[in-house]
Amino acid sequence: MNQQLSADDWTSQGLKALAKGGFTALKADPLAKAMGVSRGSFYWHFADLAAFHAAVLARWREIAAEQIIADVEAASDEPLRMLLRRSFGARLDLERAVRNWAAFDASAQAAVRAIDRRRLDYIEELLQKRGQAPATAQVRAQILYWTFLGFALSGPSIPAARLQAMLDELLAMVSASSAMRSG
């Protein structure tokens, strides 16, 4: 790369490295080598590795929650259905990598907790807009989110038709009337 790199360029490269190689790949030397620059460029933009890690985590939150929510809100499609399609249809290497990182790092753990809360609140909001009582929406949002996390952390992808059938069933389950439950 011949042009001057920005902090944004470094953060983007960090996300790629994180998704591909895990959190141990987030070091100045290998990133600089991959970008064809000296590590001096890295330290021009970040005081230290911790500052870089904070920027990577902030970008992850932006693309893994805020950008998805903005896209869902801007779409004319049914928001909950679109959220499910978007979340379950995404490549989840980065999700797995950040969650693995969180097992070893307090900052990553705090970022994961914050994004989990943001996502849960948003799902809850969507369920309430569909007419569910707040208590029901809260429980169903948690169930939906646990389902997503299980899917994200499990390995192989499933065929598109099977995934779509699963998402349709999941949507039907969380949309079902509370009165339909047997006691």
Side-chain angles (χ1 to χ4, degrees):
M1 296 187 128
N2 293 334
Q3 79 273 14
Q4 176 105 11
L5 294 177
S6 67
D8 200 48
D9 294 326
W10 281 99
T11 305
S12 294
Q13 185 66 30
L15 287 172
K16 289 176 194 170
L18 176 60
K20 185 176 179 183
F23 67 95
T24 59
L26 296 178
K27 295 179 181 159
D29 285 334
L31 290 171
K33 185 179 244 186
M35 297 171 78
V37 297
S38 73
R39 66 182 218 168
S41 171
F42 176 91
Y43 289 107
W44 175 261
H45 296 292
F46 303 100
D48 55 24
L49 209 49
F52 175 65
H53 288 175
V56 167
L57 290 168
R59 173 70 66 76
W60 172 66
R61 180 185 169 111
E62 178 60 33
I63 63 172
E66 302 310 324
Q67 186 178 352
I68 290 171
I69 290 169
D71 290 350
V72 167
E73 289 296 314
S76 60
D77 197 6
E78 185 182 346
L80 186 58
R81 181 178 300 280
M82 173 139 182
L83 179 64
L84 290 175
R85 269 194 231 127
R86 176 86 187 258
S87 300
F88 284 81
R91 289 207 48 201
L92 297 168
D93 298 343
L94 187 57
E95 184 80 24
R96 285 189 290 274
V98 172
R99 289 182 180 281
N100 183 46
W101 184 13
F104 300 94
D105 181 87
S107 315
Q109 191 174 75
V112 166
R113 275 196 308 272
I115 206 167
D116 286 347
R117 183 75 264 148
R118 175 68 171 115
R119 289 169 169 173
L120 275 167
D121 289 346
Y122 183 64
I123 297 166
E124 225 175 289
E125 177 187 319
L126 290 179
L127 290 169
Q128 286 181 32
K129 285 180 181 177
R130 293 173 68 93
Q132 294 184 10
T136 301
Q138 183 178 35
V139 168
R140 291 182 182 183
Q142 186 68 66
I143 292 167
L144 261 178
Y145 197 58
W146 283 337
T147 302
F148 166 73
L149 289 176
F151 177 80
L153 298 176
S154 59
S157 59
I158 58 177
R162 186 168 166 219
L163 177 60
Q164 188 55 56
M166 182 187 84
L167 294 178
D168 290 344
E169 186 62 30
L170 189 57
L171 185 60
M173 288 169 50
V174 298
S175 299
S177 169
S178 297
M180 292 176 66
R181 289 186 281 165
S182 58

